[in-house]
Amino acid sequence: MFSSRSTYLFFGLGCIIMSAEGFISNRDTSVIRLTSLAASATSSSESNGRSGRIRGVVFDIDGTLADSWNLGFEATKTVLAEYQNDMEEVKLSPDTYPLSSDEYHFGCRYTTPERLARHVGLEPGDDAFEETGKLLGDKFDRYYVQLVDTATAGFYDGIGEMLIRLHAGELKGQKLGSGISTDGVKLGALTNACVEYAHAVLKANCPQHSSEASSLDAEKASIYSKFVSIHGANSVPRPKPFGDGILKCCQEMGVTPDQVIYVGDAPTDAQAAVDAKCRAAIGVLWGSNNEEVLKNEEGFDTLCKTTEELSIAIAKYL
């Protein structure tokens, strides 16, 4: 039998059953509200047959928009070496810390605290897992956010122009002919890094435009100002693979999940899109995971090898 002080949360048809005390945390309240949004999206998509044009696209950042893996890799080794040196007599430098690029890329599917805790040999359930992860995560965030610029976290070639064209309703690609009208869509960004990092990367790449978009003035070309919603693992109730972050972006963008595509480079991106009940999820193959990994994720509707393919894939839903 359950304690009378327990709180029960049952999600279904928008009904919330609470304990006699009637108390839940702010984080749980956010989860309930976002789950309700996902439920309404399911009803809407079923009645509409998942048809109609999308109204928004939410992007992951690292490995999707920004080529920032080396920044994250070097910052990770720096933080882990400092942690090792505080614990052990044998001193290591970032260059000698035993972390391979493959291990780093694999860890990127987790939030920063969980990733770093795993890198030092801890597993979920270990007594020190959460405490150590938070300690290392806070150090990492303070260190690497200040290092963000276009050299360390610049957009991949073609991303800046694609975002501008997508927002302006002028998305085009070689296979789309001279251009295709999209009427413009709302943009959102969601990362499993901290939200401060998300803002830093988008600001660093703003304004960002190609020579083809040179006729646009700086204000129109500014990418940062085009993002209606920007979030990280520390600004949403639960990080990816949960869909909470996508749902929060949808709320702020004024759209429902079935009107949104999520674009990312990791299995957790596909899982979050499924959890949020997005219209579709698109995986990109230039980030931390290759085709062998992502093709096994049922949540991805399409995998793209180039930014041109990504433009074409998004355009199919417009």
Side-chain angles (χ1 to χ4, degrees):
M1 181 176 295
F2 294 101
S3 166
S4 61
R5 297 178 61 85
S6 297
T7 299
Y8 308 106
L9 304 179
F10 295 96
F11 305 101
L13 302 176
C15 178
I16 304 170
I17 303 175
M18 303 173 58
S19 70
E21 287 190 350
F23 174 81
I24 55 176
S25 68
N26 290 335
R27 181 173 291 266
D28 287 340
T29 301
S30 297
V31 172
I32 294 169
R33 187 182 305 113
L34 295 174
T35 304
S36 177
L37 177 63
S40 88
T42 301
S43 176
S44 173
S45 64
E46 289 176 351
S47 63
N48 293 329
R50 295 179 67 85
S51 61
R53 63 179 296 272
I54 61 166
R55 295 179 56 204
V57 181
V58 180
F59 293 90
D60 172 53
I61 294 181
D62 289 331
T64 300
L65 297 181
D67 185 5
S68 53
W69 90 266
N70 194 60
L71 167 64
F73 184 48
E74 294 301 326
T76 294
K77 292 193 294 180
T78 296
V79 170
L80 295 182
E82 290 180 357
Y83 176 79
Q84 165 78 15
N85 293 342
D86 289 340
M87 303 285 289
E88 305 291 342
E89 291 184 4
V90 178
K91 304 303 180 184
L92 298 173
S93 70
D95 289 337
T96 60
Y97 190 86
L99 179 71
S100 70
S101 59
D102 286 343
E103 290 170 329
Y104 169 78
H105 282 305
F106 183 86
C108 286
R109 65 191 62 194
Y110 304 114
T111 62
T112 300
E114 180 173 352
R115 175 173 67 83
L116 293 172
R118 287 174 179 271
H119 284 328
V120 297
L122 297 174
E123 295 291 338
D126 290 347
D127 291 341
F129 184 80
E130 291 189 8
E131 181 180 355
T132 302
K134 185 180 187 309
L135 172 67
L136 293 173
D138 289 345
K139 287 184 177 181
F140 180 86
D141 289 343
R142 287 194 300 270
Y143 178 67
Y144 94 133
V145 170
Q146 65 183 343
L147 299 178
V148 169
D149 58 25
T150 54
T152 60
F155 281 163
Y156 290 99
D157 290 343
I159 288 293
E161 180 189 354
M162 183 200 70
L163 292 174
I164 294 168
R165 299 299 189 187
L166 179 60
H167 178 270
E170 301 170 352
L171 181 66
K172 69 178 182 179
Q174 183 177 354
K175 295 182 180 180
L176 295 177
S178 60
I180 180 169
S181 173
T182 66
D183 296 327
V185 297
K186 296 179 180 180
L187 303 180
L190 174 67
T191 175
N192 258 1
C194 63
V195 67
E196 294 82 5
Y197 173 78
H199 282 279
V201 171
L202 295 177
K203 284 181 179 178
N205 288 280
C206 165
Q208 168 79 24
H209 57 83
S210 70
S211 58
E212 291 185 38
S214 60
S215 60
L216 300 173
D217 59 36
E219 182 178 357
K220 184 177 180 181
S222 169
I223 289 177
Y224 178 68
S225 63
K226 308 305 181 190
F227 281 84
V228 179
S229 181
I230 302 171
H231 283 288
N234 61 336
S235 66
V236 299
R238 297 176 298 178
K240 297 177 287 187
F242 296 102
D244 299 14
I246 297 175
L247 294 176
K248 191 166 186 178
C249 286
C250 289
Q251 280 187 327
E252 295 177 357
M253 294 162 67
V255 298
T256 56
D258 61 317
Q259 298 171 323
V260 166
I261 290 174
Y262 186 69
V263 182
D265 73 313
T268 47
D269 292 317
Q271 293 158 18
V274 170
D275 190 46
K277 297 179 174 58
C278 289
R279 173 71 175 279
I282 298 175
V284 301
L285 299 175
W286 51 78
S288 290
N289 295 278
N290 59 31
E291 187 171 6
E292 286 300 311
V293 174
L294 297 189
K295 73 179 183 180
N296 294 321
E297 285 297 326
E298 296 181 358
F300 282 129
D301 298 88
T302 307
L303 297 179
C304 300
K305 296 180 180 179
T306 66
T307 54
E308 180 185 339
E309 288 184 2
L310 176 58
S311 296
I312 294 170
I314 293 175
K316 292 178 181 179
Y317 294 91
L318 299 171

